[in-house]
Amino acid sequence: MARKLRRKIGEILIDHGAISKDDLKTGLEKASGTAKKIGEVLIELGYCDESAVVKGLAEQFGMRFITLDGSDGEPDMALIPKDVIQKHIVIPLSKEGGKLQLIIHDPLNLELLDLLRFRLNCEIEPVLATKASIQTFIAKETGGEGTNIAETSLVTDSVDVSVDRSVDKSVDASIDVDDDQAPIVKLVTRLITEAVRNRTSDIHIEPMEDRVLLRYRIDGVCHVRDNLPKRMQAAILARLKLMAGVNIAERRIPQDGRIKMSVDGSQIDFRVSTCPAYHGESVVLRILRPDSVRIGLVNLGFEQENLDSFNKLIRRPNGILLVTGPTGSGKTTTLYSALDVLNRPDRKIITAEDPVEYSFAGINQCQVRDSIGLTFSSILRSMLRQAPNVILVGEIRDREVADIAIQAALTGHLVFSTLHTNDAPSAITRLIDMGVKPYLVASSIQAIMAQRLIRILCPDCKQIDENPDKKVLELIGITQDEVHKNPVYKAVGCASCGKLGYKGRKAIFEMIVMNNEIRDLAFNRAPLSHIRQAAVRNGMKSLVEDGKIKVLRGETTAEEISRFAQAEALLEGNVDI
């Protein structure tokens, strides 16, 4: 007896009155040559909604369609583990006689059903609902408004199953391919693309004993994105190393490489670093967006007084301008923004960087390569014979580089550089501790600026904090009278900011403009506390005071600024620990 042929989804949708024959013809033409299903294309074209397509699929496969509004019974979320629900976007409805009724959204995904049968050790009766309704129900049950970045796994069911085949055959066979649909290739491309779209600055892939931890650093804070299966570790790392152009076979020493990839029409550079660890190589991808260092001085976070001073300083004919702060505090962005202002045909600008992260037209950028003797000091000496107007030294690391930079400043060049210190006054004592003569420090430095990056509240969900923590407010110097005049805000979280409550970052600054009093203190090797007091007398606002202004303006939270206030109080001995 011949088996009854299954009707096509297009015919079913026409019978239901959801689409016309012309709609179906256009949809088939659009879907031709792509990997998309006809239902997806019809939804994208606006010819029908997701509910109509899923109802059609239910009829096509002889399954039950439900709406998750309670009319078809309440799901029992305790029947299967929470991680299975969130990872595969499924909902358990009921269980009788060893058979689990499971709400899914794609009846064609037979591999998922096989995977869940194995994982849950029971027979499954699939029930259909729209993906949007399933995600909304899961979010409601887990306390959120929607499925956010951390609630959906990057490892789709199809990758989860098919990767075993490629990994079992050979690691190299699974990564050294041109087919974009290869499971590992698709997974790596997906995680990189998602990271770029979610304002991530760094992607961390960290092998653990039983899994591979994937974390995204967003606005300076690391968030766990996914736990990838341990069996994928070798293939994922090999794929990333292949893309970065480093030696796939070398696992004993750290390696550095670069990836250039188009994401949503923009060319994005990734700086890749591998480091051997106990459970395998740890890989970090630093995402380098070309526009991130061309945001303009006004958008960095300067208060007007500091912005006016900085604009005057960068137009001076000579001297050193130092920007200080820890790694990741935005020093490079600030200096590049200054160079962008100065980058004109009548000026010659040369930089010495390790490494060159962003390429600028019109600027001569030199890459430090210690392995062949191309050090900061050798590049600096060569620079001075190139008759530049402006020099940027990526970092002053030792006395030799400091001495050459100071000599360049004293011979008529404007020098920008960075130094790793906690605050602006510490830069003076740090240079002297390096061995630079105090009179050279006093005469060459024009200004020192310290900075930190703080997260900015999401404008779509921030709310007035009716009961702010008084201790936190006191720590950053905000009085109750100031709170009454200018309410402080708190982070909430919404779909726009990925439920983080913050969206984007700005810098807070403290700036010392050298004058006779501070130069005398530097010349006489005065203690750090005396230099700071003199700087405050001459109008310097501390990092915390600059942050306080942004809290009262409603741009950030008191808790965000208190991290720096706590550190400053500890340094000054005002907090008991």
Side-chain angles (χ1 to χ4, degrees):
M1 181 178 176
R3 192 172 63 177
K4 185 179 178 181
L5 291 175
R6 185 176 287 150
R7 293 179 68 202
K8 294 182 179 179
I9 183 66
E11 296 173 1
I12 295 171
L13 291 174
I14 291 172
D15 287 350
H16 288 181
I19 61 170
S20 66
K21 290 183 178 179
D22 289 340
D23 293 340
L24 178 60
K25 183 180 178 182
T26 305
L28 290 170
E29 289 173 355
K30 291 281 186 182
S32 177
T34 72
K36 292 183 179 178
K37 299 167 187 171
I38 182 62
E40 294 174 357
V41 174
L42 291 171
I43 294 169
E44 287 177 7
L45 292 171
Y47 293 158
C48 60
D49 58 20
E50 185 186 7
S51 179
V53 171
V54 178
K55 284 178 182 176
L57 288 170
E59 181 176 325
Q60 184 185 27
F61 287 89
M63 296 179 181
R64 187 155 66 102
F65 174 81
I66 65 172
T67 57
L68 283 172
D69 59 0
S71 60
D72 298 292
E74 285 294 327
D76 187 352
M77 302 290 276
L79 289 174
I80 64 175
K82 183 180 176 182
D83 68 304
V84 173
I85 292 171
Q86 292 182 331
K87 178 178 179 180
H88 300 294
I89 316 178
V90 295
I91 299 174
L93 187 60
S94 63
K95 190 172 184 179
E96 291 182 13
K99 181 180 284 189
L100 175 69
Q101 278 197 333
L102 192 68
I103 304 170
I104 64 172
H105 61 86
D106 184 3
L108 294 169
N109 198 341
L110 302 178
E111 288 180 331
L112 171 62
L113 293 174
D114 288 340
L115 185 74
L116 292 176
R117 285 189 187 98
F118 178 78
R119 169 82 188 269
L120 302 174
N121 193 27
C122 67
E123 187 57 38
I124 290 175
E125 180 186 334
V127 179
L128 286 187
T130 64
K131 185 176 183 180
S133 66
I134 294 174
Q135 287 177 318
T136 302
F137 189 89
I138 292 172
K140 185 176 70 174
E141 292 297 312
T142 54
E145 296 175 359
T147 306
N148 67 18
I149 187 173
E151 290 175 340
T152 56
S153 176
L154 279 166
V155 184
T156 62
D157 23 278
S158 57
V159 171
D160 206 5
V161 174
S162 60
V163 75
D164 285 328
R165 302 174 192 140
S166 59
V167 173
D168 287 345
K169 288 175 186 175
S170 156
V171 167
D172 292 334
S174 73
I175 54 109
D176 195 9
V177 291
D178 294 326
D179 182 8
D180 289 339
Q181 297 306 310
I184 290 299
V185 175
K186 191 161 69 171
L187 172 63
V188 171
T189 302
R190 183 178 173 188
L191 75 86
I192 291 175
T193 302
E194 182 189 72
V196 172
R197 290 172 179 166
N198 284 284
R199 313 187 329 274
T200 303
S201 60
D202 301 272
I203 304 170
H204 298 261
I205 298 161
E206 302 161 325
M208 301 292 166
E209 183 178 5
D210 57 348
R211 67 192 189 282
V212 179
L213 184 63
L214 173 64
R215 298 195 292 170
Y216 293 162
R217 186 181 295 278
I218 302 173
D219 293 335
V221 178
C222 275
H223 301 273
V224 175
R225 172 60 183 92
D226 209 346
N227 288 301
L228 306 175
K230 184 71 174 177
R231 66 180 180 278
M232 294 186 184
Q233 176 178 318
I236 290 171
L237 298 184
R239 173 62 184 167
L240 287 167
K241 290 165 78 173
L242 182 75
M243 294 172 71
V246 300
N247 187 352
I248 293 176
E250 182 56 76
R251 299 182 179 91
R252 301 165 300 169
I253 60 174
Q255 297 186 83
D256 294 306
R258 290 181 88 101
I259 297 171
K260 186 179 284 288
M261 182 172 158
S262 179
V263 178
D264 295 335
S266 298
Q267 279 295 118
I268 307 292
D269 276 343
F270 301 84
R271 197 177 78 206
V272 183
S273 172
T274 72
C275 182
Y278 187 72
H279 295 295
E281 287 176 287
S282 172
V283 180
V284 177
L285 282 75
R286 166 67 60 89
I287 301 175
L288 307 173
R289 294 176 175 84
D291 296 335
S292 65
V293 289
R294 292 183 174 90
I295 60 175
L297 292 175
V298 176
N299 300 314
L300 290 175
F302 281 109
E303 298 303 319
Q304 192 59 49
E305 186 180 349
N306 280 342
L307 179 60
D308 293 340
S309 297
F310 191 72
N311 268 315
K312 290 176 184 176
L313 288 164
I314 64 175
R315 288 170 171 82
R316 290 192 177 183
N318 55 49
I320 294 180
L321 175 61
L322 284 176
V323 180
T324 75
T327 301
S329 59
K331 302 186 297 294
T332 302
T333 300
T334 299
L335 289 178
Y336 273 142
S337 298
L339 290 185
D340 203 31
V341 172
L342 299 175
N343 188 14
R344 299 292 179 269
D346 60 335
R347 291 191 184 94
K348 184 176 178 69
I349 302 173
I350 305 180
T351 72
E353 303 169 64
D354 184 18
V356 173
E357 292 188 349
Y358 301 96
S359 176
F360 274 76
I363 296 179
N364 301 274
Q365 296 173 269
C366 302
Q367 167 87 43
V368 171
R369 295 177 65 189
D370 289 325
S371 59
I372 60 170
L374 193 61
T375 61
F376 271 119
S377 55
S378 64
I379 291 174
L380 267 172
R381 289 193 184 93
S382 176
M383 276 184 185
L384 298 179
R385 295 192 288 271
Q386 297 270 317
N389 301 104
V390 181
I391 294 171
L392 178 123
V393 184
E395 182 187 345
I396 293 178
R397 296 176 177 173
D398 52 41
R399 178 182 173 179
E400 185 179 14
V401 175
D403 281 337
I404 300 170
I406 286 171
Q407 290 302 322
L410 294 175
T411 52
H413 303 86
L414 181 61
V415 180
F416 295 114
S417 191
T418 69
L419 199 62
H420 289 286
T421 62
N422 288 319
D423 56 11
S426 299
I428 293 173
T429 54
R430 173 74 188 280
L431 286 171
I432 293 171
D433 289 343
M434 276 185 185
V436 179
K437 293 187 168 46
Y439 75 89
L440 291 175
V441 174
S443 57
S444 63
I445 292 178
Q446 297 290 347
I448 305 164
M449 188 169 71
Q451 68 177 75
R452 300 288 191 281
L453 289 177
I454 55 153
R455 293 181 293 171
I456 297 299
L457 283 165
C458 173
D460 295 327
C461 64
K462 70 177 184 179
Q463 292 179 4
I464 292 176
D465 193 348
E466 302 292 350
N467 295 299
D469 191 324
K470 292 181 180 179
K471 289 184 179 179
V472 174
L473 294 178
E474 185 181 346
L475 192 61
I476 63 176
I478 295 179
T479 64
Q480 290 301 311
D481 289 340
E482 287 174 316
V483 173
H484 291 315
K485 293 177 184 176
N486 300 285
V488 296
Y489 287 78
K490 63 181 179 180
V492 179
C494 65
S496 175
C497 59
K499 302 193 184 306
L500 302 176
Y502 298 92
K503 193 173 183 180
R505 290 190 290 176
K506 281 188 177 180
I508 54 175
F509 300 94
E510 67 177 23
M511 186 187 297
I512 294 179
V513 179
M514 298 292 280
N515 59 17
N516 290 335
E517 181 185 7
I518 298 173
R519 290 185 199 280
D520 286 342
L521 289 171
F523 181 77
N524 292 307
R525 297 175 181 262
L528 178 61
S529 57
H530 292 186
I531 297 173
R532 172 168 277 280
Q533 289 165 9
V536 171
R537 281 197 301 273
N538 286 281
M540 182 190 82
K541 284 189 177 69
S542 70
L543 290 167
V544 173
E545 288 172 325
D546 197 39
K548 174 184 169 182
I549 294 169
K550 291 174 173 60
V551 171
L552 294 175
R553 200 186 290 139
E555 293 181 0
T556 189
T557 62
E559 287 75 14
E560 188 71 7
I561 303 301
S562 69
R563 293 185 294 158
F564 310 112
Q566 184 78 18
E568 190 172 274
L570 286 169
L571 285 170
E572 295 175 358
N574 297 329
V575 173
D576 294 328
I577 55 173

